Amino acid sequence: AVVSTQSTGAALEDLNMSHNKLTEIPETVYSMSAICSLILSNNQISKVEPSKLIGLSSLVCLDLENNNIGRLPPELSLIPNLRTLLVMGNSFKIPRADVLARGSTEVIAWLKNKVPL
């Protein structure tokens, strides 16, 4: 999937790139400053770079379910307005399934407690 922010893309608020066999988050996504909902479920993404996602200050929902993410970076909790973080169905073992089952608020709080000072 090729995403371009030329023309009206800069104002894009919802982007669904699920089921595209993506192995990473496309670089062009990081320049979409107005994006509120980013759905990347059911791909083959193996790592997440929170330092790039933190710049998406309008991002409220991030769906990374059913990918190949081996480590869930605590810094995801630093995305300023993130309220919904969906990460079930990945290969990481921490946080455990019982934390994930409690919902986004608990997952984000758990991650926030793990951010290195």
Side-chain angles (χ1 to χ4, degrees):
V2 175
V3 179
S4 173
T5 57
Q6 296 174 356
S7 70
T8 60
L12 189 67
E13 291 183 4
D14 300 301
L15 180 59
N16 184 340
M17 297 179 71
S18 62
H19 299 280
N20 275 293
K21 298 182 181 176
L22 298 173
T23 56
E24 60 185 27
I25 299 173
E27 286 294 320
T28 53
V29 168
Y30 302 120
S31 63
M32 297 179 175
S33 58
I35 196 130
C36 297
S37 176
L38 181 56
I39 301 170
L40 295 162
S41 60
N42 299 294
N43 281 295
Q44 298 165 5
I45 296 169
S46 59
K47 73 174 186 169
V48 181
E49 298 181 69
S51 60
K52 294 180 178 181
L53 289 167
I54 289 170
L56 301 177
S57 59
S58 298
L59 190 62
V60 175
C61 175
L62 178 58
D63 183 348
L64 294 166
E65 289 189 317
N66 302 313
N67 277 286
N68 296 324
I69 299 169
R71 178 183 173 272
L72 195 61
E75 294 82 5
L76 283 175
S77 66
L78 301 177
I79 299 171
N81 291 301
L82 189 65
R83 299 292 171 264
T84 303
L85 178 60
L86 305 172
V87 291
M88 294 281 254
N90 282 285
S91 57
F92 58 80
K93 302 287 186 245
I94 299 173
R96 294 189 332 246
D98 64 320
V99 174
L100 300 179
R102 291 187 217 137
S104 294
T105 303
E106 287 293 319
V107 173
I108 293 168
W110 187 93
L111 289 170
K112 203 167 273 196
N113 286 332
K114 303 296 181 198
V115 174
L117 298 176

